[in-house]
Amino acid sequence: MSPIIDFTEDDINRGKVVEPAWYRMVIGHLTEAMSKDGNSHNWVYEDSKIVKNEDTGDEKFKGVVIPIRFNSKAKGFTIGFFTVLLGEEVKAGMRIDMKAAEGKEIVAFVENDTYENRLVNRINHKYK
């Protein structure tokens, strides 16, 4: 008997490459893992999904999964993300619960990049 597999909507949408644009997204579940070199932590909102194109309202890429990634060695890249979510400037001494972002919406610029010789979606720390 041969294996039988089934696909969820997330499985289908995970591999879709979107047109570069500003997208409204729902922030997914936060995971934390040690980096490959063991010198830092990767924080990833794994199942973050597009809601719509922020400029046109087009929902053509609704449901496409695009992880939002940060690293503990480059905490400065989280500043724009949290400034938008909090509605105020991030200041020295602030403590922010990263899990509190789960389920909230943010507008992020999604661009295309190449990873292991294939075209992928990437959020390069641009939020509004």
Side-chain angles (χ1 to χ4, degrees):
M1 178 179 218
S2 66
I4 297 173
I5 61 173
D6 62 348
F7 296 94
T8 66
E9 199 66 33
D10 283 352
D11 295 326
I12 302 297
N13 285 330
R14 194 169 299 279
K16 285 185 182 175
V17 177
V18 305
E19 298 162 1
W22 288 100
Y23 290 97
R24 178 164 297 278
M25 300 185 67
V26 174
I27 300 169
H29 175 75
L30 178 68
T31 61
E32 180 178 10
M34 188 68 73
S35 64
K36 286 182 185 179
D37 66 8
N39 292 327
S40 62
H41 285 92
N42 292 318
W43 301 309
V44 182
Y45 293 97
E46 290 287 347
D47 51 353
S48 300
K49 295 179 185 175
I50 289 176
V51 174
K52 66 180 180 179
N53 181 304
E54 184 67 8
D55 296 323
T56 67
D58 188 349
E59 294 184 357
K60 175 169 58 172
F61 296 113
K62 183 177 183 173
V64 172
V65 177
I66 304 174
I68 301 173
R69 303 175 184 281
F70 300 104
N71 182 275
S72 63
K73 279 191 173 179
K75 291 188 286 187
F77 288 118
T78 68
I79 292 171
F81 180 79
F82 287 115
T83 295
V84 169
L85 287 177
L86 296 172
E88 65 179 285
E89 186 178 333
V90 173
K91 296 178 180 81
M94 286 180 81
R95 295 175 48 94
I96 299 170
D97 177 3
M98 292 184 74
K99 284 198 76 72
E102 294 178 343
K104 293 186 178 177
E105 290 191 0
I106 195 164
V107 177
F109 190 80
V110 179
E111 58 191 35
N112 301 135
D113 197 8
T114 304
Y115 178 75
E116 296 181 347
N117 293 320
R118 60 187 170 86
L119 197 59
V120 295
N121 301 310
R122 174 181 148 173
I123 297 175
N124 193 17
H125 313 297
K126 297 173 189 161
Y127 306 98
K128 64 177 185 177

